[in-house]
Amino acid sequence: MSLTVTDILSITRKIVDICLVWAIFYFILKNVRNNVKLSLIFKGVTFIIILKFVSDGCGFTTIGVLLEYIIMWGPLALIIIFQPEIRTILEQLGRTQLLGRHKTLTVDEREHLVYQIVQALEFLRKQRIGALIVLERDVSLGNYIEKAKKIYADLSSDLLISIFFPNNPLHDGGVIIQGDRITCAGAVFPTSSSSKINRHLGTRHRAALGIAEETDCISLIVSEETGRLSIAVKGELFYNLSLDDVRIMLIDELRPKQDLDYDEDDIDGEEIYEENN
C-alpha cells in the first residue's frame, strides 16, 4: 500500500506535534529541577492529584469535594501567588540555552578557572573583604547582566580582588562569570526568603542563595565580617568551608554532565567487576 502526499503530510504533522509536546515538557521539567520554589509547587500539585485519586477510589466524599474545589480554583490561586516565579519562567524561555553553556570548558580551562578563583578567595578571606562571585551554567543570567556594569575580561585573581577591594564602586554587587571570562560586576540578585538560612547571615549570603534557588548557577561568598567562605548551589547554602572544600566543590560542579555520566558508568562497572571476582 503506497502512501499519498496527504498521508505523508499527516504523519509529519503528528510527528512534529509530538516533538513540540515533548519539548514543552522538557522545558518545564528542566526549570522545575533548577528552581527550588517551582520544585515545591510541582510536588504539592502532584500530592493533591494523587490524594484525589485515592479519595475517589476509597469513596471519601468530604475530602473529595474539598479537593475538587482546590483543583478547580488552584490554578488561579497559583498564578496570583506565584506570579513572580511564572514571570521568571517566561523570561527564561527567551534566554535559556537549550544546548548548554555558552562555552564548554576544556580540562585546562576548568583548572585555570578554579585556580584563579581560589587564589582570589584566599586573599579576600585573609583580608576579610566581602565578595559575591556567581558562575553561570546552563540557565542564562542575561537578565542580571543587562542591569550590571559590563566588563567582558579574561578571568584573573588580580581582577577579582580589585573589583571587590574596599571603596571600589562595584564592591557591593556581585560578579558574574560566563565560561572563563568575567562578564560583569555590580550585579544585583534577588534575596532568598528561606527560613533555613542562619538569621545572622547578611544580604550577600541571602542574594547568593536567592539566585541559586532560581537558577543552576554556583554562588561563592566571602563574609566581610568573618572572612568565612560559603557556596550556594542547587538551592542550598554550604557555610564556613575551607579552601580545599571550595576547590573540590568547584571541580565537581563544573565538570560536564557527560563526564559525570561516564564516571558513574565506570563506578558501576567496577562494582560489577569486583562482585564477579
Side-chain angles (χ1 to χ4, degrees), residues 135-150:
L135 281 68
E136 182 188 78
R137 294 203 280 182
D138 289 334
V139 178
S140 173
L141 300 176
N143 189 46
Y144 304 101
I145 295 173
E146 290 175 1
K147 302 173 184 178
K149 184 67 175 179
K150 313 299 186 302

Side-chain angles (χ1 to χ4, degrees), residues 5 15 21-22 30-31 38 50 53 67 81 100-101 119 123 125 136 144 149 158 191 200 214 219 253 263:
V5 175
I15 293 174
V21 171
W22 276 110
K30 183 178 179 181
N31 279 274
L38 290 179
I50 294 175
F53 280 114
L67 290 173
I81 296 173
R101 301 175 182 143
Q119 288 291 104
F123 179 88
R125 175 178 64 87
E136 182 188 78
Y144 304 101
K149 184 67 175 179
D158 292 337
T191 56
H200 296 294
E214 292 193 0
S219 301
E253 292 294 337
D263 289 345

